[in-house]
Amino acid sequence: MLVESNIDEITDQSHALISSARVEGTPVYNPQGKKLGSVHSVMIHKTSGQIVYALLAFGGFFGIGTHVHPIPWQMLTYDASRHGYVANITREMLEDAPSLELDKADRPTESETPMFHYWKFDPYL
């Protein structure tokens, strides 16, 4: 786990892989550069190994009142100049999107089907 590091010291543009621990907490922006939130966690399909969606956290103060919304992974594009992901969505779209409650192990307690319908994505493609 990284504690205190300078982003320039840990950025390796030559490496195509990234640890899930480094994805968690990464900011997510809209195309205009406004921060929408940050990646709370990513959900990985057990058998295929593919990332299915990211849980985006936004709002709240020091974790109090934070909302977590699933976003299909295909909607996120990494932008190295921002050191974050970009999603072509608005804050309003995000606020209207379905949310998932997580259990103590950060697993969703509800079906993600409403999320796939809202964002118009086929699950697990």
Side-chain angles (χ1 to χ4, degrees), residues 53 70 98-101 108-117 123-124:
Y53 57 89
S99 62
L100 293 176
E101 186 173 325
T109 59
E110 302 98 356
S111 168
E112 65 269 348
T113 301
M115 176 265 302
F116 286 113
H117 288 302
Y124 310 109

Side-chain angles (χ1 to χ4, degrees), residues 1 15 17 20-21 43 55 61 65 68 72 75-76 81-82 101 104 106 108 110-111 115 122:
M1 181 173 154
H15 206 290
L17 300 178
S20 62
M43 303 308 288
L55 291 173
F61 184 69
V68 181
M75 291 180 66
L76 300 173
S81 67
R82 293 182 179 152
E101 186 173 325
K104 291 179 182 178
D106 270 354
E110 302 98 356
S111 168
M115 176 265 302
D122 290 325

